[in-house]
Amino acid sequence: MDSKILKFFNMEIDLFIVSVCVFMAIVLIVLFFLLLDYLKIRKRYMEFMTGESGKSLEYTIYKRFREIDKLKEGQTDNDNQIAIIYDMVRKSYSKIGIYRYDAFSLEHSINGGTMSFALTLLNSSDNGFIINTIHNRAGCHVYLKEIKNGECALALAEEERISLDMALNYDKKDSSEEK
């Protein structure tokens, strides 16, 4: 019995059967690995769609949106608190000028040394005050002058003017020191 297939492949029947069996074995092995991949993908798909504890995907998405809404509310609260802190920082004294000096010359009988000083404290709007403390052996005198917009309505002593200039240029001094 001569078969047209055997004549086409130019093979004997026993060699043809062995070749078909090897081909079928390879196909079965490939099919087995494809089935394993399919089962892994199906398991991941089911976990994605139902969640590990049986939650639906819709519920999980809804829950995440509620969490995002809570985060937005928290962010609004944080922004309000930051605005309050920023306002407090703007009003706090951040510019400092201190100048130490000898209020009395050596010629006078009462000598205070360099214990006298003028201290200027200003906020970011250049509002604040100058404290001028004059020391001598007989006592200590303290004077306070208000500063608005970097200016004083009262006359300033030379030491107070130096201290005020130091405070007004406080930011410039810091940036020049960094360079």
Side-chain angles (χ1 to χ4, degrees):
M1 163 162 124
D2 283 333
S3 166
K4 290 182 182 180
I5 294 175
L6 290 177
K7 283 183 184 176
F8 178 76
F9 286 114
N10 196 17
M11 303 177 126
E12 294 293 322
I13 192 153
D14 54 347
L15 185 60
F16 179 74
I17 292 173
V18 169
S19 299
V20 169
C21 288
V22 168
F23 179 74
M24 291 301 288
I26 292 171
V27 168
L28 286 173
I29 291 171
V30 169
L31 186 62
F32 175 75
F33 284 113
L34 287 174
L35 181 65
L36 286 177
D37 285 344
Y38 167 75
L39 291 174
K40 286 179 188 175
I41 290 172
R42 186 172 189 275
K43 180 182 175 186
R44 288 176 47 198
Y45 172 76
M46 293 307 290
E47 285 178 358
F48 175 72
M49 292 306 285
T50 61
E52 291 180 15
S53 61
K55 297 178 189 171
S56 70
L57 181 61
E58 180 181 356
Y59 175 74
T60 304
I61 292 172
Y62 176 72
K63 181 179 164 188
R64 295 293 180 224
F65 279 129
R66 283 193 323 194
E67 290 173 356
I68 289 171
D69 290 341
K70 287 181 183 177
L71 288 174
K72 284 182 180 179
E73 290 172 9
Q75 180 65 36
T76 302
D77 186 45
N78 287 344
D79 290 343
N80 293 338
Q81 290 178 0
I82 288 171
I84 292 168
I85 291 170
Y86 178 73
D87 190 46
M88 290 171 59
V89 167
R90 250 186 340 104
K91 291 177 182 176
S92 68
Y93 298 116
S94 58
K95 298 178 183 181
I96 302 166
I98 187 162
Y99 179 72
R100 290 180 60 158
Y101 63 95
D102 184 0
F104 301 97
S105 66
L106 296 173
E107 302 165 332
H108 292 79
S109 60
I110 305 174
N111 186 4
T114 58
M115 301 218 19
S116 299
F117 64 90
L119 170 67
T120 303
L121 296 175
L122 301 174
N123 63 15
S124 61
S125 302
D126 293 334
N127 296 325
F129 57 89
I130 297 175
I131 296 177
N132 190 0
T133 306
I134 301 173
H135 283 272
N136 61 30
R137 289 186 184 173
C140 174
H141 302 280
V142 180
Y143 303 95
L144 178 78
K145 295 181 181 176
E146 185 178 14
I147 305 296
K148 287 194 178 188
N149 299 319
E151 298 291 327
C152 183
L154 303 173
L156 294 176
E158 179 183 346
E159 297 83 9
E160 294 169 336
R161 173 56 59 193
I162 293 170
S163 175
L164 178 61
D165 289 341
M166 290 170 73
L168 289 171
N169 295 316
Y170 189 78
D171 295 333
K172 295 172 191 162
K173 180 180 87 169
D174 287 346
S175 62
S176 67
E177 288 177 358
E178 290 174 3
K179 293 180 184 176

